[in-house]
Amino acid sequence: MILKCQVVTITRNRKGQPVRAARVVAGDPITLGRSAEASIHLPDPRVHLHHALIRNNDLGKLYLEGQDAAIDVNGELQSRAKLRRGAQILIGPYRIIPEPPTGPDHDFGLAIELVQPFPQDLGDLRARSRTSLSATWLPKRSVAWAAFAMVALLSLALPIAYATSPRFREKAAGSLPASVGRVAWDVAWDPGPLSAGHQTLSLRCDACHQAPFERVPDRACVKCHAATGSHVKEAAVSRGVFLDARCAECHREHKGERALARTDAALCVDCHGEIEARFPKSTLAAVSDFASAHPSFALYMVNARTGETERVAADQASSRVEESGLKFPHATHLNPKGVRTPRGPRVLECAQCHRPDLLGVRFEPVKMVEDCSECHRLEFEPAQSTRQAPHGKPEEILISLREFYARIALGDRAIDVTLVNDLLRRPIADVTRLEHRKALAWAEQKAQAVATNLIEVRVCVQCHQVRRETDRVAPAAGSEGGLHWSIEPVKITAHWLQGAFFDHKSHAQAACDKCHDVRTSVKSADISIPALATCRSCHSGAKAVKGKVRSACEMCHSFHQHSNPLAQSAAVDSAATLPVAGAPGSR
């Protein structure tokens, strides 16, 4: 945001009375120093060229920061201080006092007075000293022409020869060290440091500047950034929007480490502010500022029938539910009195199940074994064994149960059923074929009964949609038939707002239920994505507002539609269709 400051220069008349002269300067940031480029010029040799600057933070607070030197604020040297009304600030011989604004044409004021002028004897010394070329034996014209020739040779002729003549470049490379030879001549007109992402090209000017004295072509950018898509996916529409615009029109290099990409709101608002007028066929809503002119969020939801992700308009999202195939009441698990566990009542919090991923952007999937099995145990014979059935397909559960009970039936230990000689004990002599078949039939019957209890009554049905199918499984040896269940696949939306970027790590200071009010939710179908009004309670638009975070378009939206699959999966995930044996998913 451009800052406007009223600079009041204070001088003293013969009677010592202050005389004030005001003018308004603007900048982002406002710089103070001896340099002629400074917003507030302080022409004294005791002031550094770039002494300090004034900038605005995201909360609308003004700060004074020292650049080439520390600043004296109320008698203490500081590198950064909040700009407070009435504070005594010393920069070299100047005293600076912040003042409140006196009109609508500026945001704040600074009263500047020279309080430590040079002593009179220093002026006399300067008058007696030979400080000009005319006071020496050197002629002005000859020295000027010699200096001009030297500058023209070193800063113009030799760099041009190095850029245009391969033969000269070869000789220069052979006569200079390898670390210097490639940039010895280019440094003469180096306009500034490269951005952080291009630091590796600091010794390869020709990687971008492919022809001397010609602007950087787009093909030089695309050579490295081939995976960076255009702003609009449709190529024809993209050409119509940007016409002959070049990459370098928005990406200005040599402006510092973090100044490569434009971040001003006009970059987006120029088109999207009146998008219906400029592009009548567009289905996008007009948007010019997050705080005052932004449409409601549109959600990307999983279609339960197809498993594909579909965009749901904002006016329809409130009437939709998430058909994930899960049963999960948040209200039960977030009961302030706690939930019943094998170790007694336990109060759960969101962070115990929803753990941030490595980047802190979203969360790791919630998994049955790691997160749910402490309470939802799959034990089937707790009196005899600690073994649990696997969390997977019903067929896998049946196989595990058959193995367990077949071992019991053919082993030396009975549990609760007697079929052979009143006990399921293998006699000393080999069992007969009939006894063997009866033992396996008991094992199959027991496995199916326990599986029915696990799947339909006690465990699986508590979280999943379970349906018993007709007999499609071939009967096991000695069994009268088999059972088969169908468990609804879990389809959970992994990224609800695919048109925007949201970082949970940056919001860690806020309580989860401030944005996701699920403490009263009794169905997993409830959608808990915060509405636009919730975000506006903490975020303002492009203009700074006290107590809120200034939020321009680029904070949540990326300009380019990335075509790189890796970047696309990191920035815009589609729905995650998770198998029953895997994690139940995460929100």
Side-chain angles (χ1 to χ4, degrees):
M1 183 179 71
I2 301 298
L3 298 176
K4 295 181 180 180
C5 171
Q6 177 177 269
V7 180
V8 180
T9 304
I10 300 177
T11 56
R12 300 284 174 172
N13 59 18
R14 292 182 179 180
K15 296 182 180 181
Q17 297 173 334
V19 179
R20 299 167 62 94
R23 61 188 177 91
V24 176
V25 299
D28 184 18
I30 291 179
T31 57
L32 302 90
R34 184 162 45 88
S35 171
E37 299 176 352
S39 306
I40 301 177
H41 185 218
L42 304 175
D44 190 283
R46 291 168 288 181
V47 178
H48 291 268
L49 286 174
H50 308 283
H51 203 112
L53 58 84
I54 299 173
R55 70 168 76 246
N56 195 355
N57 70 352
D58 291 338
L59 299 178
K61 304 294 184 181
L62 295 174
Y63 282 86
L64 179 66
E65 301 178 5
Q67 286 188 285
D68 293 344
I71 49 180
D72 186 322
V73 181
N74 295 330
E76 296 182 1
L77 289 178
Q78 301 182 27
S79 60
R80 185 172 186 265
K82 187 176 180 180
L83 203 64
R84 300 181 182 276
R85 184 183 306 175
Q88 298 283 337
I89 301 170
L90 290 180
I91 294 182
Y94 295 94
R95 181 173 60 199
I96 302 175
I97 300 177
E99 295 182 344
T102 59
D105 61 337
H106 59 279
D107 303 314
F108 64 100
L110 293 177
I112 303 176
E113 182 179 3
L114 179 64
V115 294
Q116 298 176 3
F118 279 113
Q120 293 295 329
D121 55 351
L122 182 58
D124 298 338
L125 178 62
R126 284 181 171 178
R128 295 194 304 269
S129 301
R130 293 188 299 178
T131 57
S132 63
L133 188 63
S134 61
T136 68
W137 57 270
L138 296 173
K140 289 184 177 180
R141 190 175 300 276
S142 300
V143 174
W145 278 110
F148 172 78
M150 183 178 297
V151 172
L153 177 65
L154 295 177
S155 301
L156 186 62
L158 292 180
I160 290 177
Y162 182 85
T164 58
S165 173
R167 185 176 180 181
F168 178 84
R169 191 182 306 118
E170 182 179 352
K171 290 184 178 180
S175 59
L176 294 172
S179 60
V180 179
R182 303 191 66 176
V183 295
W185 310 115
D186 294 334
V187 74
W189 46 41
D190 185 3
L194 292 175
S195 60
H198 291 162
Q199 290 291 332
T200 56
L201 303 176
S202 57
L203 299 180
R204 297 174 50 209
C205 301
D206 56 344
C208 299
H209 301 277
Q210 298 184 348
F213 306 105
E214 293 184 7
R215 61 188 186 181
V216 177
D218 284 352
R219 64 176 179 272
C221 304
V222 176
K223 184 178 180 180
C224 295
H225 300 280
T228 301
S230 61
H231 179 56
V232 184
K233 293 182 178 180
E234 292 77 8
V237 177
S238 181
R239 288 192 295 269
V241 171
F242 299 104
L243 298 178
D244 296 326
R246 299 168 50 244
C247 300
E249 292 185 19
C250 294
H251 298 282
R252 301 296 179 88
E253 190 52 276
H254 294 287
K255 301 297 182 183
E257 292 188 358
R258 301 183 180 181
L260 180 61
R262 284 181 59 184
T263 57
D264 54 293
L267 178 66
C268 306
V269 176
D270 283 349
C271 285
H272 288 270
E274 299 178 353
I275 195 168
E276 297 176 351
R278 298 190 60 173
F279 304 98
K281 295 183 179 180
S282 174
T283 58
L284 298 176
V287 54
S288 57
D289 187 78
F290 181 76
S292 58
H294 192 287
S296 300
F297 298 145
L299 305 181
Y300 287 79
M301 300 178 59
V302 175
N303 187 308
R305 296 183 300 275
T306 64
E308 300 294 330
T309 303
E310 60 182 19
R311 185 176 185 271
V312 180
D315 55 352
Q316 301 176 3
S318 60
S319 61
R320 294 289 294 269
V321 295
E322 183 185 20
E323 301 177 9
S324 62
L326 276 179
K327 302 176 185 177
F328 185 86
H330 276 89
T332 300
H333 292 77
L334 294 177
N335 190 330
K337 297 181 180 180
V339 296
R340 187 177 61 183
T341 72
R343 301 179 182 180
R346 179 181 175 186
V347 178
L348 299 179
E349 297 295 337
C350 304
Q352 293 175 251
C353 297
H354 299 286
R355 297 180 298 274
D357 58 18
L358 293 177
L359 298 178
V361 176
R362 275 172 293 198
F363 298 95
E364 297 288 349
V366 177
K367 297 182 179 180
M368 167 65 181
V369 175
E370 290 86 346
D371 302 301
C372 310
S373 59
E374 180 181 353
C375 301
H376 300 274
R377 302 183 63 83
L378 295 175
E379 294 177 342
F380 49 91
E381 289 291 348
Q384 298 292 329
S385 172
T386 59
R387 183 172 175 177
Q388 298 188 44
H391 178 250
K393 298 179 180 179
E395 292 81 1
E396 297 173 353
I397 296 177
L398 268 174
I399 291 174
S400 178
L401 294 176
R402 285 174 182 141
E403 291 175 351
F404 180 83
Y405 288 111
R407 175 70 181 84
I408 296 296
L410 299 176
D412 57 358
R413 211 170 29 148
I415 295 181
D416 59 352
V417 178
T418 57
L419 292 178
V420 181
N421 298 326
D422 296 330
L423 291 174
L424 277 174
R425 297 177 183 272
R426 184 164 50 190
I428 298 177
D430 292 338
V431 297
T432 64
R433 181 179 297 275
L434 177 61
E435 292 171 339
H436 186 275
R437 292 182 61 185
K438 288 183 176 180
L440 289 181
W442 171 84
E444 177 67 23
Q445 181 182 3
K446 185 68 175 179
Q448 292 188 13
V450 173
T452 301
N453 179 262
L454 281 175
I455 297 173
E456 296 185 13
V457 180
R458 190 163 56 86
V459 182
C460 301
V461 73
Q462 301 298 322
C463 301
H464 296 279
Q465 300 287 348
V466 178
R467 182 175 63 255
R468 183 187 290 194
E469 303 286 354
T470 57
D471 188 357
R472 293 185 295 180
V473 179
S479 66
E480 298 179 357
L483 295 177
H484 182 76
W485 293 271
S486 173
I487 296 181
E488 188 71 21
V490 178
K491 300 182 180 69
I492 295 180
T493 303
H495 193 183
W496 291 86
L497 303 173
Q498 294 188 13
F501 176 80
F502 181 85
D503 184 358
H504 278 90
K505 185 177 181 180
S506 301
H507 296 76
Q509 75 282 357
C512 300
D513 55 4
K514 184 176 182 180
C515 300
H516 306 283
D517 186 13
V518 296
R519 291 190 178 273
T520 58
S521 173
V522 296
K523 297 183 297 183
S524 59
D526 295 338
I527 297 176
S528 60
I529 303 301
L532 181 64
T534 303
C535 299
R536 282 176 171 170
S537 64
C538 295
H539 291 264
S540 68
K543 185 178 180 181
V545 176
K546 184 177 181 180
K548 293 188 177 183
V549 179
R550 185 170 67 91
S551 307
C553 305
E554 70 277 359
M555 176 177 282
C556 301
H557 299 282
S558 174
F559 182 86
H560 291 281
Q561 299 290 334
H562 293 278
S563 57
N564 185 346
L566 182 60
Q568 187 177 14
S569 63
V572 183
D573 281 350
S574 60
T577 303
L578 305 176
V580 176
S586 62
R587 291 182 183 275

